């Protein structure tokens, strides 16, 4: 099933909108493909204007910024702990912006958009247990 990102058929008040044209190709959205924890793989997309978007399909490493020391390190992602987008994503290890991941360095909040940017950046929330 295709996704259509055009105007709705109804007004905010619930009244009917009579469209003055049909659907256009540039209003078609892409099917959902989720970023998960696993063997690294990327997918390139051509978007409007001939530009490129990189979508992460699987990733293991994440760029972690530590606000205490103001340094960035590459860490290994272990599992997804929380995901505000959908609680079911935790069971499936799906990574979205705002998800909380468990890494070697501790808990990290994802600040990048894996489906748009092609990179995983996060901010360290807490130090690792026992440190």
């Amino acid at each position: 099933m295709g996704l259509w990102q055009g105007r709705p058929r109804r007004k905010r008040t619930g009244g009917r909108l009579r469209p003055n044209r049909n659907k256009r190709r540039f209003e078609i959205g892409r099917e959902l493909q989720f970023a998960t924890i696993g063997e690294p793989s990327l997918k390139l997309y051509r978007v409007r204007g001939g530009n490129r978007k990189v979508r992460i399909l699987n990733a293991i490493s994440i760029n972690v910024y530590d606000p205490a020391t103001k340094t960035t390190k590459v860490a290994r992602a272990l599992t997804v702990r929380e995901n505000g987008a959908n609680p079911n994503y935790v069971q499936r290890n799906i990574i979205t912006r705002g998800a909380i991941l468990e890494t070697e360095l501790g808990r990290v909040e994802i600040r990048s958009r894996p489906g748009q940017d092609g990179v995983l950046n996060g901010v360290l929330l807490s130090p690792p247990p026992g440190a």
Side-chain angles (χ1 to χ4, degrees), residues 3-42:
L3 298 173
W4 181 58
Q5 297 177 333
R7 287 195 67 180
R9 301 274 188 217
R10 296 277 174 179
K11 302 179 190 178
R12 287 184 196 211
T13 58
R16 183 175 163 206
L17 265 178
R18 295 180 182 268
N20 57 357
R21 64 173 173 83
N22 294 327
K23 296 177 182 180
R24 299 289 192 248
R25 186 179 184 280
F26 61 81
E27 295 172 343
I28 297 173
R30 301 208 188 268
E31 292 292 329
L32 295 176
Q33 284 184 316
F34 297 113
T36 59
I37 295 177
E39 198 60 37
S41 66
L42 302 172

